[in-house]
Amino acid sequence: MDMEKSIAGIYALMQSQGIRVHAFLLDDGRDLTLIDTLFSADAEVIVGAIAALGKTPAAIKHIVLTHAHRAHLGGLARLKSLSNARVYCHEWEADIVRGERRIQQATLLPKRPYRVWPSQIAARFLRHTPCDVDQFIADGDWVGPLQVVGTPGHTPGHVAFHWPDRRAVFAGDALVTYPQLDEGWAGFMLNTHQNRQSVRKLADLDPEYVGVGHGSPILSGGGPRLHELVSHLPAG
């Protein structure tokens, strides 16, 4: 397990399984909000991180999901049971979360970075424990301290989250930092054009901190780094 308090109230949680997948535990001084739930169904990484803060899972009031891929849903059902937190996601993703529909695959062909290609294949067979969704969210909504940012592309219902008080953005899989900072991995992306527009939208928020779904967070200077990335993306 890796837990890092990078700036006030933000704890980045990492699991190697799921390709250096990250979830983010947020403490706004009142409640805990959890962004995504890592790969493992036992949720032990997240439960352990909460215990390290001297709290119990009941302190989680909101579980918000960037999208409905297994690497980000693994611990959801257990954490919902332990905490009784409300679960939020975009309407397009909800029936996947509930186990009623399989994820839509982008491609079987190898795409850069090639080291993630085995996971492209594995994603066709992975399942998560289904979980109810309490509330749909869309661009502009608020959950706890977070504003929802619609960021379609990786999936149609993909969302990111903005914590203005901390100048923090949690980009989900719209961005990756593994093996380097880039737009989301092509082999998992359903609409590249939409995703590039979403990356531009996140850059315009000029964040200091940028959390991503795969790879380590950017701890400072996130805005300039995202604008530099945008400057190299194809137009359109």
Side-chain angles (χ1 to χ4, degrees):
M1 179 192 58
D2 176 35
M3 181 173 78
E4 178 185 46
K5 182 178 180 180
S6 46
I7 63 175
I10 299 176
Y11 301 86
L13 312 178
M14 190 275 287
Q15 192 173 34
S16 295
Q17 193 176 17
I19 320 179
R20 303 189 187 186
V21 66
H22 274 68
F24 297 89
L25 188 63
L26 312 182
D27 186 348
D28 64 4
R30 296 181 299 277
D31 303 314
L32 297 182
T33 298
L34 179 65
I35 302 174
D36 293 336
T37 66
L38 301 180
F39 184 96
S40 293
D42 62 17
E44 287 304 315
V45 171
I46 296 169
V47 172
I50 295 168
L53 298 178
K55 300 178 183 289
T56 69
I60 303 175
K61 301 305 179 185
H62 313 289
I63 301 174
V64 294
L65 303 173
T66 58
H67 64 295
H69 284 170
R70 165 60 197 269
H72 309 280
L73 295 181
L76 177 61
R78 181 161 191 254
L79 289 164
K80 169 73 168 172
S81 175
L82 290 173
S83 67
N84 201 32
R86 291 181 63 80
V87 173
Y88 305 77
C89 73
H90 190 279
E91 185 174 7
W92 192 91
E93 312 283 332
D95 58 345
I96 304 175
V97 176
R98 292 192 297 256
E100 299 166 356
R101 173 168 62 97
R102 296 183 63 179
I103 65 170
Q104 184 176 343
Q105 298 286 343
T107 181
L108 281 173
L109 297 175
K111 298 286 185 178
R112 294 182 183 274
Y114 297 124
R115 69 187 70 180
V116 307
W117 180 64
S119 293
Q120 283 178 237
I121 304 302
R124 292 184 173 262
F125 306 100
L126 296 173
R127 299 289 186 274
H128 67 281
T129 304
C131 183
D132 286 339
V133 174
D134 295 295
Q135 186 172 327
F136 299 149
I137 51 176
D139 186 67
D141 291 342
W142 286 84
V143 180
L146 300 175
Q147 186 170 35
V148 180
V149 183
T151 49
H154 183 74
T155 66
H158 189 283
V159 296
F161 300 97
H162 182 210
W163 193 357
D165 288 351
R166 300 291 194 272
R167 291 191 61 200
V169 160
F170 304 92
D173 285 5
L175 293 163
V176 295
T177 60
Y178 175 78
Q180 62 188 24
L181 175 62
D182 206 346
E183 59 183 326
W185 296 324
F188 293 86
M189 194 184 305
L190 294 179
N191 189 313
T192 300
H193 171 75
Q194 281 187 337
N195 195 75
R196 287 173 179 164
Q197 295 302 314
S198 293
V199 171
R200 293 183 175 96
K201 187 176 184 179
L202 294 174
D204 287 343
L205 294 173
D206 196 28
E208 183 72 10
Y209 180 101
V210 180
V212 298
H214 299 273
S216 298
I218 299 170
L219 304 183
S220 62
R225 292 190 64 184
L226 294 192
H227 283 293
E228 174 69 12
L229 172 62
V230 164
S231 73
H232 291 93
L233 293 178

